[in-house]
Amino acid sequence: MVKAKRKNLSEFAQQKRTQNSKKQLNPFEVHINRDKQNVLGRKNKNDRGLPGVSRAKAINKRKQSLLQEYKLKNKDNVFLDKRIGEKNFDMSTEDKAMARFAMERMKMHKKKNIFNLNDDEVLTHRGQTLEEIEKFDDPKSDDEFSDDENVSGKLDKNFVEEVHFGGGVLSKLDSALSRKDLIDQLITESKKRKAEKQKIREQTIDLTEKLDSEWKDLLPIMSTSKKSAEDDSQTVKADAYDISVRQLIFEARGNPSEKLKSEEEIVEEEKEKLEKLEADRLARMKGFVSDTSNQYKHKSADDLDDGFMVETVVDDTDDINSVINDANNSNEEDSDIDNNEVNDNDINNKNENKSENIAEKDTKSEIEDLNNEDLEIEEMDDEDSEDSFIDLKVSDSSEDEENKAEKRVKFTNNLTTGQTTQTNQLDQTCPKSILKQNNNSTCVQNSFDDRKQEIRNDLLRRKEIMEKARKELPYTYNAPENFEELEKLLKNHNADYQSVIVDRIIKCNHWTLNGKNKEKMSNLFIYLLQHINNCASIENIDLVKCFQIFDRLCPYLYDLAHLNPANTRAYIEEVLKEKYDKFATNKKRYPGTDTLIFFKLVSLLFPTSDFRHPIVTPCLVFMSEILLQARIKKYRSDISKGLFICTLILEYTVLSKRFAPSVINFLRGIIYMATESMQKVKIIPPFKTACKVLVIDKTEVTIDLNGANMFADDLVYEELDDEFKIRVLLTAINLIIEFKNQLQELEAVYSIFQPIHKLLKINKFKNYPQNIRSHIKQLRKDLKLLRSKKLEYIVLEKKRPKPLRTYEPKIMTVYDGKHHKPMSKEKAEKEKLLHKYKREYKGAIREIRRDRDFLTKVQIAQQIKSDADRKRKVIEIFGDAAMQQSELKKMRKKK
Amino acid sequence: MTDAAGLPGATTGQRAMSRLLRQRAQEFLASRKHANNLVDIIGHWDDASLKKNLTLFHSQESTCLCLLTIETIFVEVLKRGDMYLEHSITLIISEPSPESRYITWLRNCYEEVWKKILASMEKCKSTIQLQALTTAIKLLAEEGKASLEPRDQTGYYFPLQRLKPILMTLLSPEKDNTNLILRFQEITEYPDALYYTWKCLPSLTPKRQPQEIYIKNLLELIDKIPLPKEGEESKVSDNKELLCGPQDATFTWDQSAVKRALNKVWGCVMHWELTPQLHKQLLLVLLERVMPHLEKPILLTDFLMDSLDVDGPVGVLALQGVFVLVTKHNLEYPNIFTKLYSMFEPEIFHTKYKARLFYLSDLFLSSTHLPEALVAAFAKRLARLTLVAPPEDILIILLFVGNLLLRHPGLKRLIDHPQGGEVASGAGDPFLMEERDPLLSNALLSSLWEIRALQWHILPSIASAARFIREPLPSVEYDMASALERTGGHLFDRELKNKVREIMLTFERPNSMALSKGEKLLQYWQLTSTH
């Protein structure tokens, strides 16, 4: 207790002391700022101030800064005394000297490199640093020179003393020589000395050299024993251990990499990648329509839905559509995935095979390989991928072609005949592959057994040709520098050969080999485009050949396009623009096949299902413009071109299910032209009212309903015949069916097809073959069904009622009693800065004003002082003068 | 100068001749001694125009030269007043003095020259015609400034006797004078020329059916010469630049006289029979130029009604006329909307006047007092038309339909049915496209499903434009004017210009021409093999 009390006492005392040390405020100096509104609990910093004290402080400050500056006004420079301790009167002269010396040493110290760990003072011997001496550059020892002789060839000490300083009283008086003689003597002496020195040096050098050479002669004798041992070791062959050790040392170290993936993982990854790409495509297809429609964002349980979250728009049509799409897509995806799986398996198999080939060079693998191919062929029952894999196959195998091409060819030739029969059997026994089941429901699926057979034969035949081409053509090609070079390479070759050539050009100049190849290959892309263009635009060319070339070049165009998508876009855009400008000069004429072939190329290179695509959309605009504006003049070719474009638009839109009025209109026109009845039916302009060219008389021509009924030649030929007319009608009907299926979900579908339905009702198509008539009848029925489709009124999607707002207490992190406007962080920051700036500005103005006041005060004080001085002086002078006067008067009086 | 003369030789010959002609003209103007030079020049002209011994090219050249020479001579002569003849009624028949004989001779020459100029305006090639017209106008201007005879009245003098033949040649019944009329348009900048042209026109318009080409020329002329609108005439009369000025008497613009002249001309024109081509032109001129100046436009009603029944552009133009009558002259025409309704046929998209039609129908339907059923029928019909329309028109129609929906809140049921559910009246769209009467077309029982179909249009711009029916309508009408000005070509360019960051490519490598998914072309076309 006592202790505690004592402690308290001591604390109290200390407190008191500190309070005492604090300056006691003079109550008269304190000024209290009165508050108008007193807020409880608010602490105010500025409730009291010390105006007098702060003023005095400010004046002091000014005296030190502003006044000094004022004094130095209009002066060019200032004399600053920087001598140490000069102004300090406490220091004695000795102290000053000490301080200065210390400073000097410090300065010396500071200048040194901070990284220099050695002593900063350099030790010398005879004017040379020890370091230099330690190098022993000049191995002449000191004793070469006598003490008297100077080392550096400078004048002798005695001599200097005598001659330079030896005058005056202390000089020897016995010098009888005249000054001139003395100097001459001096010169001769020094010259002589120099010559001697030189001579001696040369001698030493000679001697040293001699010694060195003798030493060299001796050296071999000394080292013989050592050397012989080394020779022996060299001749002994390096043993295996050493070699392996060395190999291990120099072997390139493998970089740490991820775990090797198993096959399943690779397949899985591949699948995921494709799925992702497909999902992307679907998203793009929908454009911005329903990017929010099918994915609900996560919402917390207590979300108030008070506008703080983007509302998800729920559109029932969209939902329906998306559901439908999803359904379709899931189908598609499934098939896709399967496809890929199959594909991947193949690839893996092939890879294995290849490795076996390399390792064992066994013919067995070849057989296996072929078996694989046959299996593939079976799996390719899907009509969409009729001949898709063979090329892949070929391109794969082409990698090891260089060493084994000949062998392979032999084997294939031998084996093909046997294999084909086998395949056929296999085909019949297990005709349905996985893909078959997954076929899209929209496709008109029929069995194409005989066609498949045909295709298979065709493929095998093509394979043969390819192999032959491989054998015949040179293996390496340089990348063509210009179009003419490429043309020279490709000229006089058929499509397969051309594809092999292009393949080899790409292989030989692959962009992974060399940085420059990338550019070359992009040029090759242009040249190939030009090549295709030339093929298609030459008059009277065999279009089939042109399409064959195009067909074979497609994969390579795809590869090259993927090399640099941006460039590809630019090139295709150029081509499109060119074609469009050509078309725009006369919009009434159908463009040539060269234009049409590029439309097909676009569908191969770019995803046509995108909602908006920088290449595909202009293509669609172009195509619909052709269909709407070009007039059918050369009947056969123009009608064919129109149908070609219609088919292409169908292809473009088959995934996205878009609606193209121009196509419907064109197909309507085709039906119209085949309608003989002369009832009053209106037709829209690109077609003329009296144009009935497709009406036929009775014929016996029969045509398969589901075949590919249009031919490349139709795009060129002019004259019409009944067979063509029937084919056109059939194709038009088929296309209408396709479009009908595509647009079925739209409410306005009957309105779209109504004109066609009307035409079909009028026309009896008596002269057409029975099967076509029934086909048309079926379509008519379908269209009629569309008419009685139940329609639902359009209803705007109901807005979800907004929940009532619940008012929560507004929580502020820091309550300062002020009302803050709700604003963004940046804006708040800006406001704050602005506020600060304003305050600073005001403060600066105030400071300046006070500075001015201060200066005027100083000036006035000066003025007053000088005035007073003057007055005082005047008075003094007057006083003196009066004194003098009085003295003078006194003097006079005295006189 | 024979036919064999080559071109360079000929040009040097031309140059020589032009120098010669110029020299002669100078001489003639310098002194009367060389009076016969004029005869020479005129003779030369005769030679040239008759193509006696010149090639076609040369004759043209020399005709042109002669025209220019004559022009310089007579402009100078007129300026000097050499041809001024005092009318002194002398009782004594005296021998005319050499002075007066010279003047008479000169005037005869002048008359002759005028005849020739007019002749060359009719017959020669177009460049000469133009030159002749310019010469004629210049001479006319000079003559207006200094008349040949003393004038009795003190009013403004304009050589009508010269203007009239010029106009007559312009309105030739034999050939199309569009070029000349275009040149003539230049002098109608001068108020006096314009005024007197209008004054001349009634006398040149026949009551009976004239030649077709004459009508064409006349319409062209009326189309070209401006007629100031009411309230704007002061602007014309303020224009102090006169063709035949300045004169002592001031020229005054008499708007009512001009209007009277126009009405007189149009009165005649309306009686003529017209070919379809002329009918269109007439309607154009009527709408653009004449209509505001007619005294009784109501008289046009029958004509316009007849024109309305004609298909195509004539109908559209007549519609515009009727619109003016209905809005400005209180014409009551009950079936106008039926008429307008029937004009919306699919063929309309391939005519030049579709923009005008859209513009007009927008005006017609701008009234908010129209029955809902009527407007709904229009909206529905327009929507139906989009199913066959070219893309650029679809964009216009979408805006139009949007505007209709905005103006008539009752039409909201077309895109937002109050009850919803399925269509009651059996199956299919209750709207009757074939019905001529918009009020009977059941449009209100339908919905704009067509626009929903357009949301799936292949062109993204249309597809997104068609989405307007899914959102609440805006408060301000869509601006149709800019859409009307666009043409088809812009769509292609705009789509190409569309900048994107990333260019998407297909991700499945094709192994041939066939797509791996959704190949359709090869399904219907055998392209790589012969059949």
Side-chain angles (χ1 to χ4, degrees), chain A residues 29 87 217 231 240 378 714 843 882 892:
Chain A
E29 278 179 346
K87 284 174 196 166
D217 288 341
D231 283 346
E378 281 151 37
D714 292 334
R892 269 188 196 150

Side-chain angles (χ1 to χ4, degrees), chain A residues 179-210:
Chain A
R179 185 175 167 75
K180 201 191 170 192
D181 290 340
L182 200 73
I183 288 169
D184 280 347
Q185 193 193 334
L186 265 177
I187 290 167
T188 48
E189 238 172 66
S190 75
K191 268 183 184 171
K192 198 175 87 191
R193 215 169 279 143
K194 262 184 194 168
E196 273 171 17
K197 219 163 46 186
Q198 189 70 25
K199 204 177 160 191
I200 290 161
R201 193 169 287 173
E202 271 168 13
Q203 271 174 2
T204 8
I205 288 169
D206 280 350
L207 278 173
T208 339
E209 275 170 6
K210 198 183 163 194

Side-chain angles (χ1 to χ4, degrees), chain A residues 570-704:
Chain A
Y571 301 146
I572 300 273
E573 203 183 287
E574 270 314 297
V575 172
L576 267 183
K577 250 188 225 160
E578 189 191 312
K579 299 286 173 203
Y580 186 79
D581 289 344
K582 207 169 141 196
F583 170 68
T585 51
N586 187 358
K587 288 203 172 181
K588 301 238 163 113
R589 216 170 42 211
Y590 271 89
T593 36
D594 50 336
T595 313
L596 303 184
I597 210 165
F598 278 113
F599 290 148
K600 177 63 194 168
L601 180 65
V602 166
S603 86
L604 280 171
L605 296 183
F606 302 102
T608 49
S609 61
D610 286 11
F611 179 71
R612 175 172 252 145
H613 189 282
I615 294 293
V616 177
T617 312
C619 262
L620 282 170
V621 175
F622 191 1
M623 286 199 278
S624 52
E625 231 170 271
I626 294 172
L627 288 183
L628 280 171
Q629 300 194 345
R631 309 219 164 198
I632 290 175
K633 289 215 183 85
K634 299 172 198 159
Y635 292 117
R636 185 163 175 167
S637 63
D638 284 352
I639 289 172
S640 306
K641 279 172 186 168
L643 276 179
F644 192 93
I645 293 174
C646 287
T647 325
L648 270 175
I649 292 185
L650 174 67
E651 190 177 304
Y652 274 46
T653 56
V654 75
L655 291 173
S656 53
K657 309 212 164 184
R658 311 270 279 276
F659 159 54
S662 48
V663 178
I664 308 295
N665 195 27
F666 184 85
L667 292 174
R668 174 184 169 189
I670 296 289
I671 304 288
Y672 177 79
M673 285 200 289
T675 308
E676 72 257 64
S677 122
M678 286 317 245
Q679 278 188 40
K680 235 178 108 186
V681 184
K682 276 192 176 173
I683 190 70
I684 301 173
F687 298 94
K688 280 175 234 145
T689 322
C691 188
K692 298 280 183 188
V693 283
L694 291 179
V695 175
I696 56 164
D697 304 327
K698 192 96 184 159
T699 49
E700 300 304 315
V701 187
T702 49
I703 279 170
D704 178 24

Side-chain angles (χ1 to χ4, degrees), chain A residues 35-49:
Chain A
D35 236 359
K36 277 183 185 166
Q37 290 142 341
N38 200 7
V39 180
L40 270 179
R42 192 204 269 170
K43 249 182 204 167
N44 206 344
K45 263 191 219 164
N46 309 319
D47 57 346
R48 61 192 62 213

Side-chain angles (χ1 to χ4, degrees), chain A residues 297-394:
Chain A
K297 281 192 184 124
H298 172 74
K299 281 188 178 179
S300 72
D302 46 3
D303 186 10
L304 290 170
D305 206 345
D306 47 1
F308 285 114
M309 191 109 126
V310 180
E311 266 186 56
T312 48
V313 181
V314 190
D315 193 274
D316 19 14
T317 53
D318 259 350
D319 272 358
I320 291 163
N321 287 334
S322 64
V323 167
I324 289 159
N325 280 338
D326 283 351
N328 285 332
N329 292 327
S330 63
N331 277 341
E332 282 162 14
E333 270 165 20
D334 283 351
S335 66
D336 228 33
I337 293 154
D338 287 341
N339 225 332
N340 292 324
E341 272 171 3
V342 170
N343 220 336
D344 290 329
N345 285 333
D346 283 346
I347 289 164
N348 291 331
N349 282 339
K350 270 180 277 176
N351 285 342
E352 275 173 31
N353 289 336
K354 225 191 305 177
S355 61
E356 278 170 50
N357 277 346
I358 293 160
E360 300 167 355
K361 302 188 177 174
D362 200 342
T363 50
K364 223 176 178 178
S365 67
E366 292 289 337
I367 294 163
E368 268 179 30
D369 213 10
L370 273 174
N371 277 333
N372 279 334
E373 277 167 34
D374 291 330
L375 281 169
E376 271 167 41
I377 290 163
E378 281 151 37
E379 282 154 358
M380 286 186 301
D381 281 0
D382 189 21
E383 51 158 11
D384 286 348
S385 52
E386 283 162 354
D387 50 358
S388 51
F389 296 129
I390 203 80
D391 273 295
L392 194 92
K393 180 78 206 157
V394 163

Side-chain angles (χ1 to χ4, degrees), chain B residues 220-450:
Chain B
E220 192 73 34
L221 186 67
I222 295 176
D223 188 33
K224 287 291 179 298
I225 55 178
L227 190 67
K229 294 212 170 56
E230 304 285 335
E232 279 180 21
E233 66 247 34
S234 62
K235 214 197 281 174
V236 179
S237 49
D238 283 348
N239 190 356
K240 290 289 179 234
E241 294 252 326
L242 296 174
L243 183 67
C244 298
Q247 294 182 15
D248 301 334
T250 51
F251 169 75
T252 45
W253 175 263
D254 187 358
Q255 177 78 7
S256 60
V258 173
K259 272 183 95 170
R260 221 177 304 125
L262 173 71
N263 277 305
K264 227 181 255 172
V265 171
W266 205 255
C268 298
V269 171
M270 291 316 291
H271 293 295
W272 298 339
E273 301 263 316
L274 298 164
T275 61
Q277 194 62 30
L278 281 175
H279 197 158
K280 200 172 87 184
Q281 199 190 355
L282 178 99
L283 274 170
L284 266 176
V285 173
L286 174 69
L287 293 173
E288 307 273 319
R289 300 277 170 196
V290 181
M291 194 92 153
H293 303 289
L294 288 184
E295 274 159 8
K296 288 179 186 163
I298 287 296
L299 295 180
L300 290 171
T301 313
D302 283 340
F303 172 73
L304 289 176
M305 288 300 149
D306 292 343
S307 310
L308 261 184
D309 293 332
V310 183
D311 281 339
V314 172
V316 177
L317 288 168
L319 185 70
Q320 191 180 349
V322 172
F323 177 72
V324 174
L325 290 185
V326 169
T327 51
K328 295 202 179 139
H329 303 285
N330 298 327
L331 178 74
E332 199 148 308
Y333 183 45
N335 287 332
I336 185 78
F337 284 103
T338 319
K339 203 85 222 170
L340 181 67
Y341 187 69
S342 69
M343 274 185 190
F344 284 108
E345 287 290 336
E347 293 84 11
I348 200 76
F349 299 119
H350 294 269
T351 59
K352 263 200 272 176
Y353 292 88
K354 62 183 172 188
R356 197 187 281 259
L357 176 68
F358 282 128
Y359 171 73
L360 277 177
S361 35
D362 191 35
L363 278 182
F364 264 104
L365 296 172
S366 56
S367 160
T368 47
H369 297 288
L370 294 173
E372 254 165 34
L374 177 85
V375 185
F378 271 101
K380 185 72 185 166
R381 191 178 182 91
L382 282 167
R384 210 33 100 67
L385 287 185
T386 56
L387 297 180
V388 289
E392 62 273 15
D393 294 326
I394 296 182
L395 288 173
I396 298 171
I397 292 178
L398 283 175
L399 295 181
F400 194 5
V401 170
N403 281 348
L404 290 183
L405 295 179
L406 269 176
R407 283 174 205 152
H408 304 273
L411 293 198
K412 269 219 179 111
R413 61 187 292 124
L414 291 184
I415 58 165
D416 182 16
H417 200 269
Q419 279 89 45
E422 285 189 352
V423 174
S425 63
D429 195 342
F431 175 70
L432 302 171
M433 186 73 175
E434 312 297 325
E435 178 61 54
R436 309 294 293 177
D437 187 352
L439 293 170
L440 300 177
S441 63
N442 287 343
L444 277 177
L445 299 179
S446 178
S447 268
L448 289 175
W449 291 294
E450 289 84 0

Side-chain angles (χ1 to χ4, degrees), chain A residues 388 551 559 659 710 793, chain B residues 445 456 509 511 513 524 526:
Chain A
S388 51
D551 186 49
D559 289 342
F659 159 54
M710 299 299 291
Y793 284 118
Chain B
L445 299 179
W456 293 92
R509 187 175 188 266
N511 293 307
M513 211 159 92
Y524 294 106
Q526 272 185 40

Side-chain angles (χ1 to χ4, degrees), chain B residues 503-514:
Chain B
I503 181 88
M504 298 314 296
L505 293 175
T506 45
F507 51 85
E508 281 158 354
R509 187 175 188 266
N511 293 307
S512 68
M513 211 159 92

